[in-house]
Amino acid sequence: MRKTRAQEAIVSNYARTLIPFKARQLCRKAGFTPSDQEDIEQQLWMAVLAQVDNYNPERASLDTMIDCIVDSSARMILRERRTRRRTNSTPVESIDLPICCEEDLESTLADCLHAGDRVRHRGAFSRDEQLLDETREAVEQALQNTPTGVRDVCRRVMGGSILGTSKALGISRRQVRKRLAEAKEAFENSGFGNS
């Protein structure tokens, strides 16, 4: 019994590799989450199955056809998600509107928000003072492991620029960059990553 094109597409190793790969790629884009992967894979499979009967072996291989279908469908999914985000029809409500709580007490949504949430809803981020202090302390510790000239260059660059530092210290920008490279090595040895 001869397989149909849809069956060939389903059992194709290329399709079984490509579709999860494309779904993972899309999940890394803004507006998607890893939990969307299974749904995206299903949408891509449905697109392949809907269009694979149009396959013409004289024009290209089945894998090429599958690749075109999956790429096109992935672009459509991405476009649809971006459009939905841009034209979000969710009504906007004030956090100052009263809400009913237990025991018939009225309060507002703003009363229920954590301090970090209140800052985030305005598009800003709260500063974690403890983390900032720990980072400052770690930077100072790493600077202590550098020679005095390197330490001075680092402190001046943190408060200004490479050009300003070179003028203030009377050294070339190349020398400033060389000392910064030495500092980078000391910072990496102190546990700071390349990020």
Side-chain angles (χ1 to χ4, degrees), residues 53-124:
D53 283 333
N54 299 331
Y55 169 62
N56 181 354
E58 294 174 5
R59 294 186 67 198
S61 71
L62 181 61
D63 289 347
T64 302
M65 172 81 168
I66 291 170
D67 189 50
C68 289
I69 294 169
V70 169
D71 277 348
S72 175
S73 299
R75 284 194 303 272
M76 292 297 287
I77 292 168
L78 184 59
R79 188 177 307 128
E80 176 189 304
R81 187 64 63 100
R82 285 180 178 161
T83 301
R84 193 180 324 148
R85 258 193 2 221
R86 214 176 29 244
T87 61
N88 190 357
S89 61
T90 306
V92 176
E93 294 183 25
S94 172
I95 61 171
D96 294 323
L97 290 176
I99 58 171
C100 293
C101 297
E102 295 177 11
E103 303 172 4
D104 296 329
L105 296 174
E106 279 197 12
S107 70
T108 64
L109 185 58
D111 297 332
C112 302
L113 290 176
H114 181 273
D117 293 329
R118 277 191 225 110
V119 174
R120 191 173 58 243
H121 94 274
R122 290 190 303 255

Side-chain angles (χ1 to χ4, degrees), residues 167-179:
K167 286 182 179 178
L169 296 176
I171 59 176
S172 71
R173 287 180 284 180
R174 184 176 185 180
Q175 289 173 313
V176 170
R177 287 190 186 97
K178 182 179 177 189
R179 290 182 186 173

